[in-house]
Amino acid sequence: MGGRLYASVLGLLQRRPPLVRVVPLSGRYIPKAQDVVVGTVCDVQGTFWLLDIAAPRWAPLHMTGTPWKIDFGETGQYLHVGDSVVVGVEAIENTGRIGVTMLGEGLGKLEGGTIVTISAAKVPRVIGRGGSMITTMTRLTGAEIVVGQNGRIWVGGSPEAIRRVRECLKLIERQGQRSGLTEMVERYLKSSQPPPPPPVEPLSTLVERPAPGTEVFVANPEPDGALFPEGVDGDVPPPEDN
Amino acid sequence: MGSVGAKDVPVLIGEDGRRIDGRRADELRPMKITAGALHQADGSAFVEWGMNKVMAAVYGPREVHPRHLQENNKAIVQCRYNMAAFSVDERKRPGLDRRSQEISKVIAEALESVVFAEEYPRTSIDVYIEVLQANAGTRCAGVVAASVALADAGIPMVDLLPSVAVGKVAGHIVLDLKKEEDNFGEADMPMALVPQSGRLVLLQMEGRLSKAEFATALDMGVAGCKTIYGTMKQALRDRYNVTGSDPTEAGQ
């Protein structure tokens, strides 16, 4: 416009003469062919499922794109609404339809574990250069991690491992613009080993601390079964188990 | 306000030309914008402007509900402007009314004209504007909050959309009316401007202005919008410079 260029999205300017590029800082996941994404089933139809992959639109997963041999109408027996799957993006048709498949290495239905959602713009940081960040996290926590390009990350393993990976992911999401992230995460995980007791103020803000008044109960836990302390009348608030 | 006797009208413009809160005619009320105030939304902004407090949240582009509203060649922009029951002196009956429906519509149309809707066919961009505290000019504050929230959500746009009201109070044309000026003034004209192109995408008026007064008011409003534009851009910059304190940061 008027011999000048204007960005249409909020982002960081990158000058690589003769090109300029704007790296977006936020925004929904925009699917690309070959991407591996984590999706959730949100509708079951006769021959396909509709998946929410955090993209602008739902993605249909046709039954021919699955490892199962299904007859018409049997789709509901394999995947239910709310199930999570790892799928590959096959193609974006010019109607905007997102074709996905479950055939391929590492693709399939997810059982157990937890899904952590972060901004899709931060996914490269979670993977790290040549996968370094993933390796660090898997090595130091023993968790199993599947990263979807759409910002959904499936974490499996022991509850403790899942908890620690989740904290790392939160850390990465908040500190995503900084350099030396892998080292920071490594230091964080090492400093918080061994597990007990719950290490390091767990990234504060999100965790509600008990009000000062309730600390009595935390410091002197009641013996099992006794909900109210002896000798005190009913005006004591029920102990809050933190 | 025909029913109000002349005695009840406060002195809106003092002899020194200052307004009821000490502002000059072309002065804005103080404004503070916080981009990314909500976690759940794709984009959000909180605007405190004078005694207005307005929160905006943007979701999408996402699947359209109900389906029949979907458009095959572009995204639709849906907007809900709502005033909290506690936002005004006398409790407002909650929910949609004629006024909020009108405001929702004009804001949605103003926003639709600045987003590149063709990039996301068959989707919906949903904007929720909640007025927590009102003191005249909430639709302008709503437009400002909504457009910062859209930018925060990473939605491609032509430009941000600053917005302000101009009006006629005690015979003077003034910028950014506050509640008393709105209630007892002669005219109120909210507008929203696309700064880079100078296009007006929202312009409403209540009351009467002469041709000359209208021209003055328009110029004053455009100037006001340019100032607000700066505040909006700064809010988006601030959003990404902040790095919260963190236990692992020590020794970095």
Side-chain angles (χ1 to χ4, degrees):
Chain A
M1 193 204 289
R4 291 165 61 99
L5 284 176
Y6 292 93
S8 64
V9 292
L10 175 65
L12 300 172
L13 183 66
Q14 217 176 52
R15 284 171 210 275
R16 286 224 183 101
L19 299 175
V20 285
R21 201 167 101 89
V22 175
V23 184
L25 282 168
S26 58
R28 288 221 144 194
Y29 164 64
I30 303 300
K32 289 195 310 291
Q34 315 303 325
D35 275 359
V36 171
V37 296
V38 174
T40 310
V41 179
C42 48
D43 199 5
V44 182
Q45 299 283 333
T47 57
F48 61 92
W49 299 268
L50 285 174
L51 304 183
D52 172 15
I53 57 167
R57 296 177 54 190
W58 289 346
L61 169 66
H62 195 83
M63 61 185 186
T64 51
T66 65
W68 310 303
K69 194 162 168 12
I70 310 176
D71 277 336
F72 178 84
E74 286 177 2
T75 41
Q77 294 167 23
Y78 293 83
L79 288 174
H80 307 278
V81 171
D83 284 352
S84 292
V85 289
V86 189
V87 292
V89 178
E90 275 187 313
I92 315 297
E93 294 165 21
N94 33 17
T95 55
R97 182 178 170 277
I98 307 159
V100 291
T101 176
M102 226 160 105
L103 297 170
E105 203 181 333
L107 307 182
K109 186 179 173 186
L110 290 168
E111 312 268 4
T114 304
I115 290 176
V116 182
T117 306
I118 64 160
S119 154
K122 299 276 162 61
V123 167
R125 308 309 308 268
V126 172
I127 295 170
R129 187 157 297 163
S132 60
M133 183 71 87
I134 298 264
T135 325
T136 309
M137 287 196 287
T138 342
R139 180 163 49 86
L140 292 173
T141 61
E144 210 184 321
I145 304 174
V146 177
V147 182
Q149 289 294 330
N150 57 348
R152 296 234 180 104
I153 297 158
W154 179 84
V155 190
S158 70
E160 177 60 19
I162 291 178
R163 190 186 66 75
R164 297 179 65 209
V165 171
R166 184 205 293 271
E167 276 170 20
C168 287
L169 293 173
K170 289 268 159 63
L171 180 77
I172 295 169
E173 181 166 37
R174 280 189 300 122
Q175 309 276 328
Q177 323 83 316
R178 303 163 127 250
S179 51
L181 255 190
T182 309
E183 290 73 36
M184 188 199 273
V185 167
E186 188 164 354
R187 218 168 333 109
Y188 174 70
L189 282 174
K190 278 186 177 151
S191 69
S192 60
Q193 260 175 353
V200 190
E201 181 81 23
L203 301 184
S204 59
T205 56
L206 290 179
V207 184
E208 292 237 6
R209 314 207 65 198
T214 61
E215 262 172 28
V216 182
F217 295 103
V218 181
N220 308 309
E222 310 306 326
D224 280 354
L227 274 180
F228 293 92
E230 294 275 325
V232 188
D233 287 328
D235 57 345
V236 177
E240 288 179 26
D241 36 2
N242 36 328
Chain B
M1 299 286 148
S3 63
V4 182
K7 260 188 289 183
D8 300 336
V9 179
V11 181
L12 293 172
I13 308 271
E15 280 170 14
D16 55 352
R18 294 274 173 170
R19 295 205 254 161
I20 194 162
D21 53 0
R23 281 185 290 157
R24 282 176 275 107
D26 61 348
E27 208 173 332
L28 291 162
R29 290 176 284 181
M31 182 186 237
K32 187 183 159 205
I33 307 177
T34 314
L38 302 171
H39 286 281
Q40 206 68 42
D42 290 318
S44 59
F46 181 51
V47 170
E48 294 163 86
W49 184 356
M51 277 150 71
N52 287 313
K53 287 182 202 286
V54 178
M55 186 72 105
V58 168
Y59 289 84
R62 64 180 179 184
E63 217 47 49
V64 186
H65 286 291
R67 264 281 161 76
H68 69 267
L69 294 175
Q70 159 177 310
E71 301 219 14
N72 285 334
N73 52 352
K74 65 184 182 87
I76 58 168
V77 177
Q78 301 188 92
C79 176
R80 195 185 89 131
Y81 164 99
N82 184 45
M83 281 175 89
F86 52 80
S87 62
V88 277
D89 290 342
E90 192 142 342
R91 186 186 122 92
K92 179 197 171 290
R93 249 181 111 237
L96 274 186
D97 53 24
R98 279 167 171 262
R99 179 177 169 277
S100 68
Q101 277 182 48
E102 177 202 309
I103 296 178
S104 302
K105 181 173 181 297
V106 294
I107 294 181
E109 284 170 5
L111 295 174
E112 186 156 11
S113 69
V114 288
V115 303
F116 287 109
E118 320 76 51
E119 292 197 16
Y120 305 103
R122 298 185 197 196
T123 61
S124 163
I125 296 166
D126 299 337
V127 182
Y128 298 91
I129 298 170
E130 292 288 328
V131 178
L132 306 181
Q133 185 172 292
N135 193 282
T138 54
R139 77 189 69 190
C140 300
V143 170
V144 170
S147 79
V148 173
L150 282 169
D152 181 45
I155 290 168
M157 293 197 286
V158 176
D159 206 345
L160 290 169
L161 201 54
S163 170
V164 75
V166 214
K168 186 179 169 191
V169 171
H172 299 260
I173 301 295
V174 295
L175 182 66
D176 189 16
L177 279 65
K178 80 189 297 294
K179 192 176 165 203
E180 291 76 5
E181 297 172 328
D182 189 14
N183 289 163
F184 301 107
E186 290 101 78
D188 174 25
M189 185 170 81
M191 58 164 94
L193 175 82
V194 184
Q196 302 286 2
S197 65
R199 200 158 58 99
L200 280 172
V201 292
L202 187 154
L203 184 67
Q204 298 180 293
M205 186 161 89
E206 203 179 281
R208 286 182 188 202
L209 292 177
S210 71
K211 256 189 178 172
E213 284 168 341
F214 177 80
T216 322
L218 202 60
D219 288 346
M220 199 181 256
V222 168
C225 283
K226 298 243 161 98
T227 312
I228 295 166
Y229 187 44
T231 314
M232 294 166 80
K233 286 196 284 193
Q234 191 54 46
L236 287 167
R237 275 188 216 113
D238 290 345
R239 161 116 165 83
Y240 286 98
N241 284 335
V242 182
T243 36
S245 67
D246 193 271
T248 56
E249 231 172 274
Q252 174 81 0

